[in-house]
Amino acid sequence: MNDATRDNWWLASLGNTLVWARLREREAGTAEVFDSDGNTLAYDSLDTARAALMDAEFVEYDGLDEYDALERGFSLHEVSPPQARDDEALRGRMIQQLGRRA
């Protein structure tokens, strides 16, 4: 990431699976979403990108508290946004299987 961008992580939970999306705000006011399929989707504004993520039932990771996370079937202590050296390597980490809860 350089000075011209800012990243926010979003996630959706489907059973024991977390699906991540990276929302990247560009200096020009546009935005991009890197999705779990490895696609980079361009949006004309940050608000449009956020609305598309919310429509797809994603929530902003930084906006979650422990109660919200537990309601979705995981603890904030056991998950964190994926990291990789580049987007190609990141693609394989955008879907995360969670352990079973007793």
Side-chain angles (χ1 to χ4, degrees), residues 2 5 7 9 16 33 45-46 48-49 56 65 77 79 81 86 88 97-98:
N2 60 39
T5 62
D7 292 349
W9 285 95
N16 288 336
V33 173
S45 72
L46 185 61
T48 304
D65 62 23
H77 303 291
V79 302
D86 57 36
E88 183 60 35
Q97 296 298 321
L98 300 173

Side-chain angles (χ1 to χ4, degrees), residues 34-39 86-95:
F34 182 75
D35 69 15
S36 61
D37 292 325
N39 298 314
D86 57 36
D87 285 355
E88 183 60 35
L90 186 60
R91 180 179 181 234
R93 299 173 184 220
M94 298 295 281
I95 296 177

Side-chain angles (χ1 to χ4, degrees), residues 1-9 22-26 84-87:
M1 187 174 84
N2 60 39
D3 292 337
T5 62
R6 194 177 83 209
D7 292 349
N8 295 90
W9 285 95
R22 181 189 66 208
L23 173 59
R24 178 167 282 173
E25 180 180 5
R26 295 299 208 177
R85 68 186 179 283
D86 57 36
D87 285 355

Side-chain angles (χ1 to χ4, degrees), residues 25-85:
E25 180 180 5
R26 295 299 208 177
E27 187 177 287
T30 60
E32 298 173 347
V33 173
F34 182 75
D35 69 15
S36 61
D37 292 325
N39 298 314
T40 300
L41 310 170
Y43 293 90
D44 62 349
S45 72
L46 185 61
D47 288 341
T48 304
R50 290 172 62 90
L53 286 164
M54 287 186 279
D55 285 349
E57 299 188 18
F58 279 78
V59 294
E60 191 169 2
Y61 177 74
D62 286 341
L64 289 175
D65 62 23
E66 185 65 11
Y67 177 79
D68 292 332
L70 291 172
E71 286 287 306
R72 289 174 170 78
F74 64 92
S75 169
L76 289 176
H77 303 291
E78 62 189 13
V79 302
S80 61
Q83 296 181 4
R85 68 186 179 283

